[in-house]
Amino acid sequence: MEKAIRKQFFIFVLPTLIAFTAGFLLPFLMGIGLSFCRFTTVTDAVFTGLGNYRKIFSDATFVHALWYTALFTIVSVITINVAAFTIAMLLTKGIRGTNLFRTVFFMPNLIGGIVLGYIWQILLNGVLERFGKTLTYSSAYGFFGLVILMNWQQTGYMMMIYIAGIQNIPDELIEAAKMDGAPAGTLLTNVIIPMVMPSVTICTFLTLTNSFKLFDQNLALTAGEPSNRSQMLALNIFETFYARTGWEGAGQAKAVVFFLIVAAIALVQNRFTKSREVQQ
Amino acid sequence: MAKQRDENQVSSLRRAKHGWIGTILFSVLSAAWLYPVYLVGINAFKKKAFITREPFRLPDARSFFGIRNFVNGVEKTDFFSAAKNSVIITVGSVAVILLCTSMCAWYLTRVHDRVSAAIYTLCLFSMIVPFQMVMFPLSKLANLMRLGSPVGIIPVYLGFGAGLAVFMFCGFVKSIPLEIEEAAMIDGCTPLQTFFWVVFPIMKPTTITVAILQAMWIWNDYLLPYLVLDLKKYKTIPIVIQYLKGGYGAVDWGTMMAMLVLAIVPVIVFYASCQRYIIRGVVAGAVKG
């Protein structure tokens, strides 16, 4: 059977392979190469060694965006996961209307980032106006605005994953703990949380990468204002490419650094998941 | 597969003691959760001066603007042609992705050689590469290959969406018993017939999951079409909304609110009509990815 299928390589694999090569593989390899070059378009590249990399770490906007993004990621990962887990715990207790509540919490996840940004811009500016401020008054407002926005968008999604995890805990386990007289707090920390660890790992990974790679919401909510102080990494890279002439090489070098950080997060997280899976 | 418990059948062990307090609490919280959408809805019917001045007030005799925000917005942004482009791109790309990557995944799982292993590894790898990494070369290549139309962008989405789709289909094919396909082949099916008559129908649950994940991504995607499409001729919904912002801060919030409503309504209708599939698909996609 394998032989018969192998003869059909051109029909089964080639369309995907061509698109994958042209749409991902080739641009990826070119991207690495171009990060060591000076260029304005892909055909006029001149090799300049590590020049671009030296340039980006002396670029204050990049270093600021890096820290801003890291801080944003930490805050939103914690807030989203705590909120999602709490709601998931409460919505697995057979409360009347549970299905409707879950549906409502999940809904914002379907709305696109650009649309989300403008929805929250009108709401948050409306609130801040009472204090004579706007979202772009200082980078702190943009920061918390984005945190609130991301919580609204992602909490329902993570809640669904936690609910699936909580529902998979066997009743017998909870019954046994209760029979042994475990108080609610102990039940939570010693039975429920260890049993939903796989969900915790998935949710942390998703919120981590989603927050770190955030672009659309950042663009629509504050566009990096005031003067690039609320600019996250992805937006900083975009502006380096398209808003600063002569910086294309630096933009590509930033993109490589960005990729390496995202890959490192993914690999560390993956190893973490595997070690958890063995224990279970 | 773990047994699926119906969400309403909660054992007495887990049931909350004072359920009605929870119902009240969550009713309030749900209302608050929907408030941002409601806010956009009411402001879409107000004159623009009143939107930034008193955003939380319902439209009244002074501020009511009828549907003129919608009329102006649709005219200014050519919204319906953008919506048409969004539909062509999303439906076309999802269909092509489902067809091509399911075939590819079946081949990669059934044919054990170095080529298959290498392609599979590359697909996994592509899933951790952020778009910014390939953004610039990809947009230049797409321009060189003249892919700047709604149909032209479809292969770009196939290339960029292939990683996740191939990975998910491969995961499913591994669980299909080989005997079914062998029986089909012995009865004289060619590999193509075996795939379309036997394998593809069995893959339906994964096909739905992949379709939903890819559709949500492509429908909401801003950056890829912004860089690849010929923007003088073609825009998508997220692009026209971002264009409303224009240059330095001069936003017409009236048309903006109306266009946000038009952008949200199809999503909510889609969600309401196949909510069960969407939630299941998104959660399954997360657990596997």
mmCIF file of all heavy atoms in Angstrom, chain A residues 1-2 6 9 13 16 39 93 99 101 103 110 118 152 157 166-167 169 171 178 252, chain B residues 5 7 13-14 16 23 30 33 100 107 110 112-113 133 136 185 220 242 245 271 282:
data_model
loop_
_atom_site.group_PDB
_atom_site.id
_atom_site.type_symbol
_atom_site.label_atom_id
_atom_site.label_comp_id
_atom_site.label_asym_id
_atom_site.label_seq_id
_atom_site.Cartn_x
_atom_site.Cartn_y
_atom_site.Cartn_z
ATOM 1 N N MET A 1 0.819 -1.195 0.000
ATOM 2 C CA MET A 1 0.000 0.000 0.000
ATOM 3 C C MET A 1 0.865 1.263 0.000
ATOM 4 O O MET A 1 0.619 2.210 -0.746
ATOM 5 C CB MET A 1 -0.881 -0.011 1.255
ATOM 6 C CG MET A 1 -1.899 1.099 1.240
ATOM 7 S SD MET A 1 -3.057 0.953 2.610
ATOM 8 C CE MET A 1 -2.697 2.434 3.513
ATOM 9 N N GLU A 2 1.931 1.224 0.812
ATOM 10 C CA GLU A 2 2.788 2.397 0.905
ATOM 11 C C GLU A 2 3.359 2.776 -0.459
ATOM 12 O O GLU A 2 3.425 3.942 -0.822
ATOM 13 C CB GLU A 2 3.916 2.089 1.894
ATOM 14 C CG GLU A 2 4.441 3.341 2.565
ATOM 15 C CD GLU A 2 5.530 3.040 3.581
ATOM 16 O OE1 GLU A 2 5.289 2.234 4.489
ATOM 17 O OE2 GLU A 2 6.620 3.606 3.446
ATOM 18 N N ARG A 6 3.040 6.223 -2.447
ATOM 19 C CA ARG A 6 4.258 6.992 -2.699
ATOM 20 C C ARG A 6 4.320 7.512 -4.135
ATOM 21 O O ARG A 6 4.837 8.599 -4.395
ATOM 22 C CB ARG A 6 5.487 6.120 -2.395
ATOM 23 C CG ARG A 6 6.768 6.939 -2.246
ATOM 24 C CD ARG A 6 7.970 6.051 -2.260
ATOM 25 N NE ARG A 6 7.894 5.033 -1.214
ATOM 26 C CZ ARG A 6 8.636 5.055 -0.108
ATOM 27 N NH1 ARG A 6 9.491 6.011 0.082
ATOM 28 N NH2 ARG A 6 8.518 4.107 0.780
ATOM 29 N N PHE A 9 2.947 11.109 -4.914
ATOM 30 C CA PHE A 9 3.543 12.245 -4.193
ATOM 31 C C PHE A 9 3.124 13.586 -4.797
ATOM 32 O O PHE A 9 2.783 14.525 -4.090
ATOM 33 C CB PHE A 9 5.066 12.109 -4.217
ATOM 34 C CG PHE A 9 5.791 13.215 -3.512
ATOM 35 C CD1 PHE A 9 5.977 13.187 -2.136
ATOM 36 C CD2 PHE A 9 6.285 14.311 -4.221
ATOM 37 C CE1 PHE A 9 6.643 14.208 -1.487
ATOM 38 C CE2 PHE A 9 6.951 15.339 -3.570
ATOM 39 C CZ PHE A 9 7.125 15.284 -2.204
ATOM 40 N N VAL A 13 1.166 15.658 -2.018
ATOM 41 C CA VAL A 13 2.019 16.530 -1.201
ATOM 42 C C VAL A 13 2.427 17.813 -1.919
ATOM 43 O O VAL A 13 2.517 18.867 -1.301
ATOM 44 C CB VAL A 13 3.278 15.758 -0.742
ATOM 45 C CG1 VAL A 13 4.157 16.641 0.125
ATOM 46 C CG2 VAL A 13 2.878 14.514 0.019
ATOM 47 N N THR A 16 0.721 21.478 -1.364
ATOM 48 C CA THR A 16 1.015 22.041 -0.045
ATOM 49 C C THR A 16 2.493 22.404 0.061
ATOM 50 O O THR A 16 2.844 23.464 0.586
ATOM 51 C CB THR A 16 0.652 21.026 1.053
ATOM 52 O OG1 THR A 16 -0.690 20.587 0.839
ATOM 53 C CG2 THR A 16 0.758 21.637 2.425
ATOM 54 N N PHE A 39 19.644 46.598 2.959
ATOM 55 C CA PHE A 39 18.791 46.449 1.774
ATOM 56 C C PHE A 39 17.582 47.364 1.892
ATOM 57 O O PHE A 39 17.249 47.837 2.984
ATOM 58 C CB PHE A 39 18.319 45.001 1.620
ATOM 59 C CG PHE A 39 17.497 44.517 2.784
ATOM 60 C CD1 PHE A 39 16.114 44.612 2.763
ATOM 61 C CD2 PHE A 39 18.106 43.988 3.919
ATOM 62 C CE1 PHE A 39 15.353 44.187 3.841
ATOM 63 C CE2 PHE A 39 17.346 43.563 5.004
ATOM 64 C CZ PHE A 39 15.970 43.663 4.967
ATOM 65 N N LYS A 93 -20.165 23.973 38.754
ATOM 66 C CA LYS A 93 -20.891 23.594 39.962
ATOM 67 C C LYS A 93 -22.384 23.450 39.724
ATOM 68 O O LYS A 93 -23.174 23.430 40.656
ATOM 69 C CB LYS A 93 -20.655 24.627 41.072
ATOM 70 C CG LYS A 93 -19.241 24.569 41.637
ATOM 71 C CD LYS A 93 -19.097 25.531 42.795
ATOM 72 C CE LYS A 93 -17.686 25.604 43.328
ATOM 73 N NZ LYS A 93 -17.161 24.311 43.788
ATOM 74 N N ASN A 99 -24.654 27.213 30.867
ATOM 75 C CA ASN A 99 -24.337 27.195 29.434
ATOM 76 C C ASN A 99 -24.356 28.583 28.830
ATOM 77 O O ASN A 99 -23.484 28.943 28.034
ATOM 78 C CB ASN A 99 -25.335 26.304 28.682
ATOM 79 C CG ASN A 99 -24.993 24.848 28.852
ATOM 80 O OD1 ASN A 99 -23.893 24.513 29.292
ATOM 81 N ND2 ASN A 99 -25.929 23.982 28.526
ATOM 82 N N PHE A 101 -23.871 31.447 30.412
ATOM 83 C CA PHE A 101 -22.742 32.235 30.910
ATOM 84 C C PHE A 101 -21.460 31.874 30.162
ATOM 85 O O PHE A 101 -20.687 32.744 29.784
ATOM 86 C CB PHE A 101 -22.547 32.021 32.422
ATOM 87 C CG PHE A 101 -23.745 32.407 33.249
ATOM 88 C CD1 PHE A 101 -24.106 31.666 34.366
ATOM 89 C CD2 PHE A 101 -24.504 33.511 32.909
ATOM 90 C CE1 PHE A 101 -25.203 32.026 35.129
ATOM 91 C CE2 PHE A 101 -25.607 33.876 33.663
ATOM 92 C CZ PHE A 101 -25.963 33.129 34.779
ATOM 93 N N THR A 103 -21.191 30.702 27.159
ATOM 94 C CA THR A 103 -21.289 31.237 25.801
ATOM 95 C C THR A 103 -20.919 32.714 25.772
ATOM 96 O O THR A 103 -20.182 33.170 24.898
ATOM 97 C CB THR A 103 -22.729 31.063 25.280
ATOM 98 O OG1 THR A 103 -23.106 29.709 25.469
ATOM 99 C CG2 THR A 103 -22.834 31.419 23.826
ATOM 100 N N LEU A 110 -13.909 35.674 19.485
ATOM 101 C CA LEU A 110 -14.114 35.578 18.043
ATOM 102 C C LEU A 110 -13.923 36.912 17.329
ATOM 103 O O LEU A 110 -13.815 36.963 16.120
ATOM 104 C CB LEU A 110 -15.532 35.071 17.750
ATOM 105 C CG LEU A 110 -15.832 33.669 18.269
ATOM 106 C CD1 LEU A 110 -17.287 33.351 18.061
ATOM 107 C CD2 LEU A 110 -14.972 32.660 17.548
ATOM 108 N N TYR A 118 -10.625 49.214 18.825
ATOM 109 C CA TYR A 118 -11.470 50.407 18.757
ATOM 110 C C TYR A 118 -12.644 50.326 19.723
ATOM 111 O O TYR A 118 -13.088 51.358 20.247
ATOM 112 C CB TYR A 118 -11.920 50.666 17.318
ATOM 113 C CG TYR A 118 -10.753 51.121 16.475
ATOM 114 C CD1 TYR A 118 -10.172 50.283 15.537
ATOM 115 C CD2 TYR A 118 -10.191 52.373 16.692
ATOM 116 C CE1 TYR A 118 -9.071 50.695 14.814
ATOM 117 C CE2 TYR A 118 -9.092 52.790 15.972
ATOM 118 C CZ TYR A 118 -8.534 51.945 15.029
ATOM 119 O OH TYR A 118 -7.430 52.354 14.334
ATOM 120 N N TRP A 152 -10.411 40.564 28.550
ATOM 121 C CA TRP A 152 -11.763 40.423 28.009
ATOM 122 C C TRP A 152 -11.756 39.423 26.859
ATOM 123 O O TRP A 152 -12.640 38.588 26.737
ATOM 124 C CB TRP A 152 -12.261 41.792 27.524
ATOM 125 C CG TRP A 152 -13.705 41.831 27.164
ATOM 126 C CD1 TRP A 152 -14.760 41.626 28.012
ATOM 127 C CD2 TRP A 152 -14.280 42.087 25.889
ATOM 128 N NE1 TRP A 152 -15.946 41.749 27.331
ATOM 129 C CE2 TRP A 152 -15.681 42.042 26.018
ATOM 130 C CE3 TRP A 152 -13.742 42.375 24.624
ATOM 131 C CZ2 TRP A 152 -16.555 42.257 24.954
ATOM 132 C CZ3 TRP A 152 -14.623 42.591 23.565
ATOM 133 C CH2 TRP A 152 -16.010 42.531 23.737
ATOM 134 N N TYR A 157 -11.886 31.948 26.526
ATOM 135 C CA TYR A 157 -11.211 30.856 25.823
ATOM 136 C C TYR A 157 -10.471 29.959 26.830
ATOM 137 O O TYR A 157 -10.640 28.734 26.848
ATOM 138 C CB TYR A 157 -10.251 31.490 24.811
ATOM 139 C CG TYR A 157 -9.445 30.588 23.932
ATOM 140 C CD1 TYR A 157 -9.627 29.207 23.908
ATOM 141 C CD2 TYR A 157 -8.491 31.129 23.075
ATOM 142 C CE1 TYR A 157 -8.870 28.415 23.073
ATOM 143 C CE2 TYR A 157 -7.747 30.338 22.240
ATOM 144 C CZ TYR A 157 -7.927 28.981 22.245
ATOM 145 O OH TYR A 157 -7.170 28.204 21.427
ATOM 146 N N ILE A 166 -11.307 20.375 34.423
ATOM 147 C CA ILE A 166 -11.989 20.120 35.696
ATOM 148 C C ILE A 166 -13.006 18.994 35.540
ATOM 149 O O ILE A 166 -13.144 18.128 36.405
ATOM 150 C CB ILE A 166 -12.674 21.422 36.194
ATOM 151 C CG1 ILE A 166 -11.610 22.462 36.580
ATOM 152 C CG2 ILE A 166 -13.562 21.141 37.408
ATOM 153 C CD1 ILE A 166 -12.171 23.853 36.821
ATOM 154 N N GLN A 167 -13.701 18.968 34.389
ATOM 155 C CA GLN A 167 -14.710 17.926 34.188
ATOM 156 C C GLN A 167 -14.093 16.544 34.019
ATOM 157 O O GLN A 167 -14.771 15.534 34.171
ATOM 158 C CB GLN A 167 -15.573 18.273 32.970
ATOM 159 C CG GLN A 167 -16.581 19.361 33.307
ATOM 160 C CD GLN A 167 -17.419 19.738 32.115
ATOM 161 O OE1 GLN A 167 -17.013 19.544 30.979
ATOM 162 N NE2 GLN A 167 -18.580 20.299 32.371
ATOM 163 N N ILE A 169 -11.764 15.366 35.935
ATOM 164 C CA ILE A 169 -11.373 14.797 37.228
ATOM 165 C C ILE A 169 -12.447 13.787 37.648
ATOM 166 O O ILE A 169 -13.623 14.128 37.692
ATOM 167 C CB ILE A 169 -11.266 15.901 38.306
ATOM 168 C CG1 ILE A 169 -10.294 16.992 37.853
ATOM 169 C CG2 ILE A 169 -10.806 15.317 39.637
ATOM 170 C CD1 ILE A 169 -10.240 18.173 38.808
ATOM 171 N N ASP A 171 -15.092 11.677 39.672
ATOM 172 C CA ASP A 171 -15.866 11.957 40.875
ATOM 173 C C ASP A 171 -15.316 11.229 42.101
ATOM 174 O O ASP A 171 -15.314 11.757 43.201
ATOM 175 C CB ASP A 171 -17.325 11.521 40.669
ATOM 176 C CG ASP A 171 -18.129 12.606 39.961
ATOM 177 O OD1 ASP A 171 -17.662 13.763 39.956
ATOM 178 O OD2 ASP A 171 -19.196 12.286 39.408
ATOM 179 N N LYS A 178 -13.151 14.145 50.114
ATOM 180 C CA LYS A 178 -14.168 14.669 51.024
ATOM 181 C C LYS A 178 -14.419 13.724 52.199
ATOM 182 O O LYS A 178 -14.629 14.145 53.325
ATOM 183 C CB LYS A 178 -15.474 14.923 50.262
ATOM 184 C CG LYS A 178 -15.392 16.181 49.406
ATOM 185 C CD LYS A 178 -16.761 16.725 49.038
ATOM 186 C CE LYS A 178 -16.625 18.099 48.408
ATOM 187 N NZ LYS A 178 -17.851 18.574 47.799
ATOM 188 N N GLN A 252 14.712 43.501 10.204
ATOM 189 C CA GLN A 252 14.834 42.059 10.047
ATOM 190 C C GLN A 252 15.638 41.447 11.200
ATOM 191 O O GLN A 252 15.312 40.367 11.681
ATOM 192 C CB GLN A 252 15.466 41.730 8.690
ATOM 193 C CG GLN A 252 15.387 40.268 8.301
ATOM 194 C CD GLN A 252 13.953 39.739 8.281
ATOM 195 O OE1 GLN A 252 13.072 40.294 7.649
ATOM 196 N NE2 GLN A 252 13.707 38.655 9.011
ATOM 197 N N ARG B 5 -18.855 14.283 29.786
ATOM 198 C CA ARG B 5 -19.982 14.445 30.677
ATOM 199 C C ARG B 5 -20.812 15.628 30.211
ATOM 200 O O ARG B 5 -20.269 16.666 29.839
ATOM 201 C CB ARG B 5 -19.459 14.692 32.092
ATOM 202 C CG ARG B 5 -20.463 14.329 33.167
ATOM 203 C CD ARG B 5 -19.863 14.631 34.524
ATOM 204 N NE ARG B 5 -18.897 13.646 34.953
ATOM 205 C CZ ARG B 5 -17.696 13.975 35.429
ATOM 206 N NH1 ARG B 5 -17.315 15.198 35.501
ATOM 207 N NH2 ARG B 5 -16.874 13.031 35.832
ATOM 208 N N GLU B 7 -22.699 18.923 30.529
ATOM 209 C CA GLU B 7 -22.369 19.958 31.504
ATOM 210 C C GLU B 7 -23.466 20.170 32.549
ATOM 211 O O GLU B 7 -23.214 20.668 33.616
ATOM 212 C CB GLU B 7 -22.024 21.289 30.814
ATOM 213 C CG GLU B 7 -22.915 21.679 29.679
ATOM 214 C CD GLU B 7 -22.307 21.270 28.338
ATOM 215 O OE1 GLU B 7 -21.518 22.047 27.817
ATOM 216 O OE2 GLU B 7 -22.616 20.187 27.846
ATOM 217 N N LEU B 13 -21.766 15.910 44.483
ATOM 218 C CA LEU B 13 -20.527 16.246 45.171
ATOM 219 C C LEU B 13 -20.037 17.643 44.828
ATOM 220 O O LEU B 13 -19.408 18.316 45.616
ATOM 221 C CB LEU B 13 -19.438 15.263 44.734
ATOM 222 C CG LEU B 13 -19.434 13.913 45.394
ATOM 223 C CD1 LEU B 13 -18.579 12.980 44.590
ATOM 224 C CD2 LEU B 13 -18.912 14.046 46.807
ATOM 225 N N ARG B 14 -20.264 18.023 43.565
ATOM 226 C CA ARG B 14 -19.688 19.264 43.087
ATOM 227 C C ARG B 14 -20.678 20.410 43.111
ATOM 228 O O ARG B 14 -20.312 21.557 42.954
ATOM 229 C CB ARG B 14 -19.210 19.089 41.641
ATOM 230 C CG ARG B 14 -18.200 17.980 41.482
ATOM 231 C CD ARG B 14 -17.853 17.818 40.028
ATOM 232 N NE ARG B 14 -16.960 16.676 39.851
ATOM 233 C CZ ARG B 14 -15.927 16.687 39.042
ATOM 234 N NH1 ARG B 14 -15.639 17.746 38.345
ATOM 235 N NH2 ARG B 14 -15.180 15.614 38.929
ATOM 236 N N ALA B 16 -22.963 23.434 43.815
ATOM 237 C CA ALA B 16 -22.860 24.533 44.768
ATOM 238 C C ALA B 16 -24.059 24.495 45.710
ATOM 239 O O ALA B 16 -25.159 24.138 45.317
ATOM 240 C CB ALA B 16 -22.823 25.865 44.027
ATOM 241 N N THR B 23 -26.140 32.193 40.285
ATOM 242 C CA THR B 23 -26.885 32.616 39.094
ATOM 243 C C THR B 23 -26.989 34.132 39.030
ATOM 244 O O THR B 23 -26.756 34.737 37.979
ATOM 245 C CB THR B 23 -28.297 31.995 39.108
ATOM 246 O OG1 THR B 23 -28.160 30.581 39.195
ATOM 247 C CG2 THR B 23 -29.054 32.350 37.838
ATOM 248 N N SER B 30 -22.123 38.559 33.359
ATOM 249 C CA SER B 30 -22.341 38.367 31.927
ATOM 250 C C SER B 30 -22.805 39.654 31.273
ATOM 251 O O SER B 30 -22.371 40.001 30.167
ATOM 252 C CB SER B 30 -23.385 37.282 31.668
ATOM 253 O OG SER B 30 -22.913 36.051 32.120
ATOM 254 N N TRP B 33 -19.941 41.750 30.850
ATOM 255 C CA TRP B 33 -19.077 41.222 29.791
ATOM 256 C C TRP B 33 -19.567 41.664 28.413
ATOM 257 O O TRP B 33 -18.780 41.872 27.491
ATOM 258 C CB TRP B 33 -19.062 39.696 29.879
ATOM 259 C CG TRP B 33 -17.767 39.094 29.489
ATOM 260 C CD1 TRP B 33 -17.477 38.455 28.317
ATOM 261 C CD2 TRP B 33 -16.565 39.056 30.268
ATOM 262 N NE1 TRP B 33 -16.184 38.044 28.321
ATOM 263 C CE2 TRP B 33 -15.600 38.397 29.505
ATOM 264 C CE3 TRP B 33 -16.224 39.535 31.536
ATOM 265 C CZ2 TRP B 33 -14.293 38.191 29.963
ATOM 266 C CZ3 TRP B 33 -14.933 39.328 31.999
ATOM 267 C CH2 TRP B 33 -13.994 38.660 31.215
ATOM 268 N N CYS B 100 -5.897 20.501 0.519
ATOM 269 C CA CYS B 100 -4.472 20.215 0.289
ATOM 270 C C CYS B 100 -3.803 19.610 1.521
ATOM 271 O O CYS B 100 -3.056 18.644 1.410
ATOM 272 C CB CYS B 100 -3.737 21.482 -0.124
ATOM 273 S SG CYS B 100 -4.251 22.091 -1.729
ATOM 274 N N TYR B 107 -0.659 11.375 3.318
ATOM 275 C CA TYR B 107 0.559 10.865 2.687
ATOM 276 C C TYR B 107 1.705 10.806 3.710
ATOM 277 O O TYR B 107 2.373 9.795 3.859
ATOM 278 C CB TYR B 107 0.945 11.754 1.509
ATOM 279 C CG TYR B 107 2.198 11.323 0.783
ATOM 280 C CD1 TYR B 107 2.133 10.566 -0.374
ATOM 281 C CD2 TYR B 107 3.462 11.672 1.270
ATOM 282 C CE1 TYR B 107 3.281 10.166 -1.041
ATOM 283 C CE2 TYR B 107 4.610 11.269 0.619
ATOM 284 C CZ TYR B 107 4.516 10.521 -0.539
ATOM 285 O OH TYR B 107 5.659 10.118 -1.180
ATOM 286 N N ARG B 110 1.211 7.925 6.135
ATOM 287 C CA ARG B 110 1.216 6.566 5.599
ATOM 288 C C ARG B 110 2.536 6.183 4.926
ATOM 289 O O ARG B 110 2.863 5.008 4.846
ATOM 290 C CB ARG B 110 0.062 6.390 4.596
ATOM 291 C CG ARG B 110 -1.315 6.394 5.238
ATOM 292 C CD ARG B 110 -1.514 5.210 6.153
ATOM 293 N NE ARG B 110 -2.831 5.254 6.778
ATOM 294 C CZ ARG B 110 -3.047 5.294 8.084
ATOM 295 N NH1 ARG B 110 -2.029 5.302 8.937
ATOM 296 N NH2 ARG B 110 -4.274 5.322 8.555
ATOM 297 N N HIS B 112 6.353 6.105 5.103
ATOM 298 C CA HIS B 112 7.409 6.322 6.083
ATOM 299 C C HIS B 112 8.748 6.452 5.371
ATOM 300 O O HIS B 112 9.372 5.455 5.040
ATOM 301 C CB HIS B 112 7.467 5.157 7.071
ATOM 302 C CG HIS B 112 6.157 4.924 7.756
ATOM 303 N ND1 HIS B 112 5.782 5.601 8.890
ATOM 304 C CD2 HIS B 112 5.124 4.120 7.443
ATOM 305 C CE1 HIS B 112 4.580 5.203 9.253
ATOM 306 N NE2 HIS B 112 4.152 4.307 8.381
ATOM 307 N N ASP B 113 9.142 7.663 5.080
ATOM 308 C CA ASP B 113 10.502 7.844 4.566
ATOM 309 C C ASP B 113 11.047 9.181 5.046
ATOM 310 O O ASP B 113 10.374 9.911 5.774
ATOM 311 C CB ASP B 113 10.553 7.720 3.037
ATOM 312 C CG ASP B 113 9.682 8.760 2.348
ATOM 313 O OD1 ASP B 113 9.211 9.685 3.030
ATOM 314 O OD2 ASP B 113 9.464 8.641 1.138
ATOM 315 N N MET B 133 8.750 37.506 11.529
ATOM 316 C CA MET B 133 10.001 36.926 11.040
ATOM 317 C C MET B 133 10.012 36.824 9.514
ATOM 318 O O MET B 133 11.036 37.026 8.869
ATOM 319 C CB MET B 133 10.161 35.541 11.690
ATOM 320 C CG MET B 133 11.373 34.772 11.259
ATOM 321 S SD MET B 133 12.901 35.562 11.756
ATOM 322 C CE MET B 133 13.982 34.948 10.476
ATOM 323 N N PHE B 136 8.561 40.670 5.930
ATOM 324 C CA PHE B 136 9.126 41.507 4.869
ATOM 325 C C PHE B 136 9.450 40.708 3.601
ATOM 326 O O PHE B 136 8.952 41.049 2.518
ATOM 327 C CB PHE B 136 10.362 42.244 5.402
ATOM 328 C CG PHE B 136 10.876 43.290 4.470
ATOM 329 C CD1 PHE B 136 10.311 44.556 4.457
ATOM 330 C CD2 PHE B 136 11.911 43.013 3.593
ATOM 331 C CE1 PHE B 136 10.777 45.525 3.584
ATOM 332 C CE2 PHE B 136 12.375 43.980 2.721
ATOM 333 C CZ PHE B 136 11.815 45.243 2.719
ATOM 334 N N MET B 185 -8.049 -0.691 -0.771
ATOM 335 C CA MET B 185 -7.035 -0.839 -1.827
ATOM 336 C C MET B 185 -7.113 -2.228 -2.458
ATOM 337 O O MET B 185 -6.975 -2.377 -3.675
ATOM 338 C CB MET B 185 -5.643 -0.615 -1.248
ATOM 339 C CG MET B 185 -5.451 0.775 -0.705
ATOM 340 S SD MET B 185 -4.790 1.906 -1.910
ATOM 341 C CE MET B 185 -3.508 2.698 -1.025
ATOM 342 N N ASN B 220 -10.108 37.416 10.688
ATOM 343 C CA ASN B 220 -9.686 38.531 11.537
ATOM 344 C C ASN B 220 -8.299 39.058 11.210
ATOM 345 O O ASN B 220 -7.868 40.046 11.784
ATOM 346 C CB ASN B 220 -9.702 38.107 13.012
ATOM 347 C CG ASN B 220 -11.109 37.929 13.527
ATOM 348 O OD1 ASN B 220 -12.012 38.644 13.127
ATOM 349 N ND2 ASN B 220 -11.305 36.958 14.409
ATOM 350 N N GLN B 242 -9.237 49.920 10.046
ATOM 351 C CA GLN B 242 -7.998 50.606 10.394
ATOM 352 C C GLN B 242 -7.818 51.866 9.540
ATOM 353 O O GLN B 242 -7.322 52.877 10.018
ATOM 354 C CB GLN B 242 -6.815 49.644 10.240
ATOM 355 C CG GLN B 242 -5.465 50.201 10.635
ATOM 356 C CD GLN B 242 -5.384 50.627 12.092
ATOM 357 O OE1 GLN B 242 -6.147 50.155 12.922
ATOM 358 N NE2 GLN B 242 -4.475 51.529 12.404
ATOM 359 N N LYS B 245 -9.211 55.303 10.648
ATOM 360 C CA LYS B 245 -8.468 56.112 11.594
ATOM 361 C C LYS B 245 -7.694 57.201 10.859
ATOM 362 O O LYS B 245 -7.476 58.271 11.401
ATOM 363 C CB LYS B 245 -7.509 55.227 12.379
ATOM 364 C CG LYS B 245 -6.972 55.942 13.594
ATOM 365 C CD LYS B 245 -5.854 55.169 14.223
ATOM 366 C CE LYS B 245 -5.057 56.056 15.140
ATOM 367 N NZ LYS B 245 -3.759 55.473 15.432
ATOM 368 N N TYR B 271 -21.340 32.772 15.283
ATOM 369 C CA TYR B 271 -21.155 32.153 16.590
ATOM 370 C C TYR B 271 -22.469 31.562 17.092
ATOM 371 O O TYR B 271 -22.516 30.414 17.557
ATOM 372 C CB TYR B 271 -20.644 33.209 17.569
ATOM 373 C CG TYR B 271 -20.358 32.712 18.966
ATOM 374 C CD1 TYR B 271 -19.686 31.511 19.196
ATOM 375 C CD2 TYR B 271 -20.734 33.470 20.069
ATOM 376 C CE1 TYR B 271 -19.413 31.092 20.474
ATOM 377 C CE2 TYR B 271 -20.453 33.046 21.362
ATOM 378 C CZ TYR B 271 -19.800 31.854 21.559
ATOM 379 O OH TYR B 271 -19.526 31.443 22.826
ATOM 380 N N VAL B 282 -12.274 25.027 18.875
ATOM 381 C CA VAL B 282 -11.215 25.869 19.395
ATOM 382 C C VAL B 282 -10.514 25.186 20.573
ATOM 383 O O VAL B 282 -9.290 25.223 20.691
ATOM 384 C CB VAL B 282 -11.797 27.240 19.801
ATOM 385 C CG1 VAL B 282 -10.796 28.043 20.585
ATOM 386 C CG2 VAL B 282 -12.220 27.998 18.564
#
